[in-house]
Amino acid sequence: MDLNEMSPNFKSSFFLLKRKWNRLPKFLRFYLIVVFLFVAFTFSYYVFFVASKKNLIEINASDENDLLLTDDDRIRPSQVIEHNLIPPQNPHLDDNTIKEFIVTQKIPPILLDESDNSDDKAITSEEFLQASLKQNEKQKMIQEAILHSWKGYHEYAWGQDMLKPITRKGKNWFGIGLTILDSLDTLLIAGLENEFQQALNWIKHELTFEVNENVNCFETTIRALAGLTSAYHICKEKILLEKAIDLGNRLIHCFDSPSKTVPFSDVNLKSKISKSPVYMPESSMSEVSTVQLEFRDLSYETNDKSYEEKSFATSKYIHELIQKRKNYLLPMYINPLSGNLMSSTITLGARADSYYEYLYKQYVQTKIEFLLDDYIRSIDAIKDRLVATTQGELKLLYIGEIINSDPQSIHPKMDHLVCFLSGTLALGYYHEHLRPFHKSGIANETFISHLKLAEDLARTCHYMYNLTETGLAPEIAYFGINDKQHEYYIQPRDTHNLLRPEFVESLFFLYHITGNQKYRDWGMQVFNAFEKFTRVNSGGYTTINDVRHPKNVKPKDLMESFWLAETLKYLYLLFMDDHKIVRKLLNNYVFNTEGHILPRRV
Ligand SMILES: *[C@@H]1O[C@H](CO)[C@@H](O)[C@H](O)[C@H]1NC(C)=O
Ligand SMILES: *[C@@H]1O[C@H](CO)[C@@H](O)[C@H](O)[C@H]1NC(C)=O
Ligand SMILES: *[C@@H]1O[C@H](CO)[C@@H](O)[C@H](O)[C@H]1NC(C)=O
């Protein structure tokens, strides 16, 4: 405000105040400023973190009024029709479709030459190396992309967590050389021996977990711990297991929470003290339920049951909650102090996704029955309550969300992350239907219906890429409800692509399990688009901000570690022609949620 515009009265009182202020002793003025800043800070903290989260309320599992309690017909078809969605009544599941499906399904190549039992044995570095010497043209291109990514990281970001390929420097997140740990098994699988030795030398001489850093328990477990153990299972280098044990002994303190059953989200690697981040007292559902494969694997390798017991307590606890609530879909948040669920969005995307993945994958690892049972029931619940199909020509099947403010309808939003589900469903079809069927001739219709859902969802994920201007998918897609012209659209805030793996991961499973060439074609289209729009000449690939503008994709200047750990690995394995290797991978191992392979223990 211009002082000249003030009324004379106001003007004089302003100067009076100013004079009084100046006459105050210096220490008092300082003290008053500190008090003022403190009040201002507390107020903004409240506004941003407390008030904005007040819609998160604890769900008491025994409370009859629980908004999200099952009530099987809560999402009433009539209300859904009002929104003009096809009622989610298993649209793809009538008897004829299934019969037709059984008749037309072929035995995929990986099973055709399943003659002896030699594929029960563990897979070795040597086998991957031999296969890489016979690789096809597509694999050569993908191997070159792995090398190009590795070279950029090695040259500009060595020892740091991630590469910033445009500015040619590194970026730390946890400070443990994450890209190296996450890439180990990819280098072995692609037969890149020299690069693997570079990584191994760094691990021997430079790697330390004695860092005073609060790391995310889940991310560090799935990327670093599993990165080390997966490579150890392939090449048997002792140092990898030693480092994994050291890391596991730090990460296991995530479970030192008051509830015991629900771990904290973060742990300090040095002090081993775990806690929630200041801005977020809750833990994510997916994070607490997606570390069990890794800790169980560590228990088997060390003969120390405690890793498995502590982490599996979470799965058992969630299983009990589900039984009590009779609801197989879970919200995004759970409280590590009370163990209570927090009412929040029901989604197969961020913060919930891999809970469903690990229900089944833990079953593959252990054959513990309740996991399979919960998995089958949760897929049924997904079909009943979250699946919908657009009404236009494309008839895109998607998995939507249920949001708190409108629990009666399906919110037509799907994260790219949801594309993982096709791969998990296909894996279930492989183990529970296809392999037994191959021997006994008895079909399991539950899992045949799962494959149908997997294929329909993958088709939608394909369009998420195919219908953008760059051929790359956005982070989140929306689907038209009434609109037959616009079946799929992208919000301006969701146009980024982070080099994510979920779609090509599913293509790897779908191709080898069905033998359908279209899945390789789709994978090549995605790879070509990554090459064209995300490759950085000096080394590495970058995440981008805008999949809609081929002339300006707005590089974000980051190469996430899952690009090498998952996206490129799954692409390379998608084009693997050595059926014996693929069969061993599927029959004897389970891929963790970061693409690392852990042996089955059954
Ligand atoms: C949940 O509700 C039951 C019955 O109303 C009550 O006994 C119990 O103390 C509640 N638990 C929590 C954690 O609020
Ligand atoms: C299919 O598999 C499920 C889970 O193992 C089982 O409960 C069901 O009985 C099986 N159905 C058939 C027809 O074998
Ligand atoms: C979209 O799919 C069609 C048909 O498979 C293909 O010809 C085309 O190249 C794809 N476009 C992109 C950008 O991937």
Side-chain angles (χ1 to χ4, degrees), residues 148 151-158 160 162-171 536-542 556-559:
H148 186 73
K151 282 198 175 123
Y153 172 77
H154 185 254
E155 198 150 331
Y156 306 119
W158 190 240
Q160 298 191 57
M162 285 166 290
L163 166 68
K164 287 171 76 68
I166 310 259
T167 46
R168 301 183 200 171
K169 52 186 190 190
K171 180 182 171 169
V536 180
N537 280 335
S538 52
Y541 290 73
T542 180
K556 281 168 74 83
D557 192 19
L558 192 66
M559 187 173 85

Side-chain angles (χ1 to χ4, degrees), residues 137-194:
E137 288 309 307
K138 305 272 163 55
Q139 282 186 303
K140 278 195 185 122
M141 292 161 64
I142 298 158
Q143 190 195 45
E144 194 280 330
I146 295 173
L147 268 175
H148 186 73
S149 307
W150 183 258
K151 282 198 175 123
Y153 172 77
H154 185 254
E155 198 150 331
Y156 306 119
W158 190 240
Q160 298 191 57
D161 286 333
M162 285 166 290
L163 166 68
K164 287 171 76 68
I166 310 259
T167 46
R168 301 183 200 171
K169 52 186 190 190
K171 180 182 171 169
N172 267 337
W173 184 18
F174 307 142
I176 53 174
L178 205 56
T179 293
I180 299 179
L181 306 181
D182 226 358
S183 304
L184 293 167
D185 55 5
T186 301
L187 298 173
L188 289 168
I189 287 171
L192 296 170
E193 279 189 304
N194 294 339

Side-chain angles (χ1 to χ4, degrees), residues 462-463 465-472 521-522 524-526 528-529 533:
H462 160 68
Y463 279 117
Y465 286 76
N466 191 267
L467 296 178
T468 70
E469 290 78 354
T470 55
L472 289 173
D521 297 343
W522 291 354
M524 206 62 241
Q525 289 169 11
V526 171
N528 287 336
F533 294 106

Side-chain angles (χ1 to χ4, degrees), residues 526-571:
V526 171
F527 178 71
N528 287 336
F530 278 131
E531 282 291 301
K532 193 161 170 196
F533 294 106
T534 69
R535 187 176 166 109
V536 180
N537 280 335
S538 52
Y541 290 73
T542 180
T543 52
I544 59 172
N545 259 319
D546 196 348
V547 297
R548 312 211 56 176
H549 290 100
K551 293 235 162 62
N552 183 14
V553 294
K554 301 186 192 140
K556 281 168 74 83
D557 192 19
L558 192 66
M559 187 173 85
E560 297 276 1
S561 73
F562 50 70
W563 166 250
L564 270 163
E566 299 184 80
T567 314
L568 289 173
K569 178 194 287 147
Y570 281 122
L571 278 166

Side-chain angles (χ1 to χ4, degrees), residues 122-134:
I123 206 158
T124 62
S125 325
E126 185 55 28
E127 272 171 277
F128 283 123
L129 187 63
Q130 288 308 319
S132 77
L133 300 176
K134 288 180 271 174

Side-chain angles (χ1 to χ4, degrees), residues 236-416:
K236 301 290 175 197
E237 287 281 352
K238 267 268 166 329
I239 180 78
L240 299 176
L241 182 59
E242 284 161 25
K243 291 288 181 184
I245 295 170
D246 176 18
L247 181 58
N249 287 339
R250 297 164 195 269
L251 292 173
I252 199 67
H253 289 278
C254 297
F255 291 91
D256 298 347
S257 62
S259 67
K260 295 273 188 272
T261 46
V262 179
F264 277 123
S265 144
D266 291 359
V267 69
N268 186 300
L269 284 182
K270 190 169 182 190
S271 69
K272 301 177 186 161
I273 292 171
S274 56
K275 59 177 188 58
S276 302
V278 272
Y279 55 86
M280 186 70 217
E282 266 73 56
S283 298
S284 290
M285 182 55 66
S286 56
E287 295 191 2
V288 304
S289 55
T290 311
V291 292
Q292 287 73 19
L293 286 179
E294 295 79 359
F295 281 115
R296 181 176 293 109
D297 188 52
L298 199 58
S299 276
Y300 273 91
E301 292 304 321
T302 55
N303 281 323
D304 174 352
K305 283 257 170 251
S306 68
Y307 307 108
E308 175 176 20
E309 280 166 7
K310 285 184 182 168
S311 60
F312 195 48
T314 307
S315 303
K316 288 196 270 195
Y317 172 71
I318 294 175
H319 171 66
E320 280 161 24
L321 277 182
I322 289 173
Q323 304 281 96
K324 223 183 275 176
R325 300 174 73 219
K326 298 183 186 59
N327 186 344
Y328 290 84
L329 300 176
L330 287 168
M332 300 155 97
Y333 296 107
I334 186 162
N335 191 295
L337 311 177
S338 64
N340 282 344
L341 298 173
M342 308 302 293
S343 99
S344 42
T345 302
I346 304 287
T347 173
L348 262 278
R351 298 192 184 277
D353 48 2
S354 50
Y355 158 70
Y356 303 96
E357 179 184 355
Y358 271 34
L359 273 181
Y360 184 61
K361 287 186 171 176
Q362 280 200 79
Y363 175 72
V364 174
Q365 188 189 32
T366 62
K367 294 258 180 190
I368 293 172
E369 278 295 329
F370 83 78
L371 295 162
L372 180 64
D373 196 52
D374 287 357
Y375 171 70
I376 293 174
R377 287 168 191 266
S378 61
I379 300 300
D380 281 344
I382 289 164
K383 284 184 193 160
D384 286 346
R385 305 180 66 186
L386 298 179
V387 168
T389 306
T390 61
Q391 299 277 276
E393 237 171 67
L394 291 175
K395 301 253 178 300
L396 299 174
L397 175 145
Y398 60 89
I399 300 181
E401 300 185 342
I402 299 176
I403 54 178
N404 270 347
S405 55
D406 183 15
Q408 307 296 325
S409 36
I410 299 174
H411 190 55
K413 160 180 180 266
M414 187 169 90
D415 294 356
H416 177 273

Side-chain angles (χ1 to χ4, degrees), residues 471-482:
L472 289 173
E475 177 73 358
I476 298 170
Y478 286 79
F479 297 89
I481 294 181
N482 294 319

